[in-house]
Amino acid sequence: AQVKLDSGVTADMHEGIAELSEEWEKELNKVYNLILKKLSVREKAKFKTEQQKWKKDTEIKLKKAYNKYVEEEGERMAGELAASDSLEATKDRALKLAKMYDKLSK
């Protein structure tokens, strides 16, 4: 995917971001499910609520960013920038959950 991102070709860059986003989403879900296995019933409910809140908050933040990008950069660039923001948000959350899992596994 990195080769596509570095190509400078818009279509390749879109494809690279989509591929990376898909892989980070898989990783996020994998770690999320591993964490669920470590938690008590009460903790699971709290964790699920926290994850739903993160998703909702992230969707709102990304929508606002997209609208800002449309105003500043135009619709074509807005899609690329918003996709990149989405990728980073998912990656950051996956890494945060991985650290949480590591703490639970000690």
Side-chain angles (χ1 to χ4, degrees), residues 16 33 46 50-51 54 59 62 72 76 86 92 94 96:
N33 287 319
K46 182 180 175 187
E50 178 188 314
Q51 184 67 8
W54 173 81
E59 287 173 7
L62 291 171
E72 294 175 356
R76 176 178 245 170
S86 178
D92 290 346
K96 180 179 179 181

Side-chain angles (χ1 to χ4, degrees), residues 3 12 17-18 26 34 36 38 41 49 51 62 96 104:
V3 172
D12 289 346
I17 288 173
K26 285 179 189 176
L34 287 170
L36 285 177
K38 296 267 186 189
V41 174
T49 300
Q51 184 67 8
L62 291 171
K96 180 179 179 181
L104 290 169

Side-chain angles (χ1 to χ4, degrees), residues 5 10 13-14 17 21 61-89:
L5 291 173
T10 302
M13 292 167 64
H14 281 286
I17 288 173
S21 293
K61 188 163 60 170
L62 291 171
K63 196 175 278 191
K64 287 179 182 178
Y66 174 80
N67 291 335
K68 181 181 175 198
Y69 293 144
V70 168
E71 289 177 21
E72 294 175 356
E73 306 290 337
E75 207 161 314
R76 176 178 245 170
M77 284 300 297
E80 289 177 36
L81 293 168
S84 181
D85 286 354
S86 178
L87 168 63
E88 285 303 310

